[in-house]
Amino acid sequence: MAQPPAKAKTVGELSAAAAACQGCDLWQEATQTVFGEGKEGAPMMLVGEQPGDQEDLQGRPFVGPAGRVLEQALDEAGIDRRRVYVTNAVKHFRFTRRGKRRLHEKPNAAQVRACRPWLEAEIEVVKPGLIVLLGATAAQSVMGPAFRVSKQHGEVLESPFGIPVVATVHPSSILRSVDDKSRDAAMSSFIADLMVAAKQA
Ligand code: URA
């Protein structure tokens, strides 16, 4: 299974089919496919990069450290996470082993391309009013390789799906801030972008 079944009408049907996806090599090392979560008809869809270590083990998107930053930012932007559909551009964890640790590795262009039909199918089934692209991988998967989050974050843009999008940073970039001052600035900017999205959704 490398393609979503055309007859899938619900997130549950898509998720069940994606569990067997071998559309790229990532299924071999990952624990499981981590599909999106939320309801059909959710007003807002959030798209991240790929599941991390915790997400891979638990089988749910954004349940690790980046998820906690996301939760806090959504809360401060006045967005109820229960009304949001959360997913990733790539549905398997890509990592390298360092001793017992599994270190995140960015998915390559072929892996992002192989997973795009699943994202397209999710968008088709969920029909969100607005899509928030978290970080460069999600933004480029949807808007093309020339898209730069640093230049166009916080703007309401038209996507190829005919659904407006707002791009912003990935929450894990906030975790990588070098000091408190830059972390606070990055978080404020992230929340401001989410508030733009909240007004539209
Ligand atoms: N980072 C992502 O992009 N997605 C997740 O689900 C977790 C971390």
Side-chain angles (χ1 to χ4, degrees), residues 3-161:
Q3 292 286 324
K7 61 179 178 6
K9 294 279 178 287
T10 65
V11 172
E13 285 166 2
L14 282 176
S15 172
C21 186
Q22 300 184 358
C24 73
D25 54 341
L26 292 180
W27 66 275
Q28 296 177 37
E29 293 289 326
T31 308
Q32 57 194 315
T33 305
V34 179
F35 207 71
E37 262 185 16
K39 295 195 177 85
E40 294 97 17
M44 188 185 290
M45 176 183 277
L46 303 182
V47 185
E49 181 194 72
Q50 63 165 0
D53 181 69
Q54 282 303 309
E55 289 79 12
D56 170 78
L57 296 173
Q58 295 186 40
R60 299 183 57 208
F62 283 107
V63 291
R68 287 191 281 281
V69 174
L70 178 62
E71 190 111 15
Q72 188 193 337
L74 288 173
D75 197 41
E76 292 194 30
I79 299 169
D80 182 352
R81 182 167 173 173
R82 288 165 306 182
R83 297 189 67 231
V84 166
Y85 184 91
V86 182
T87 192
N88 283 299
V90 171
K91 312 258 192 280
H92 280 113
F93 181 32
R94 184 180 193 206
F95 60 92
T96 44
R97 286 189 196 277
R98 180 92 40 87
K100 287 196 174 143
R101 294 174 64 210
R102 304 190 303 168
L103 302 181
H104 165 274
E105 218 187 312
K106 199 172 147 60
N108 66 34
Q111 291 157 346
V112 175
R113 214 167 30 247
C115 225
R116 198 168 185 276
W118 294 103
L119 179 61
E120 286 173 16
E122 280 177 300
I123 293 169
E124 181 69 25
V125 162
V126 175
K127 297 190 178 24
L130 177 114
I131 302 171
V132 177
L133 303 168
L134 301 167
T137 300
Q140 292 177 354
S141 172
V142 169
M143 301 299 279
F147 190 87
R148 294 287 171 268
V149 174
S150 55
K151 292 212 173 107
Q152 288 192 277
H153 71 94
E155 291 175 26
V156 182
L157 304 166
E158 202 54 43
S159 72
F161 303 110

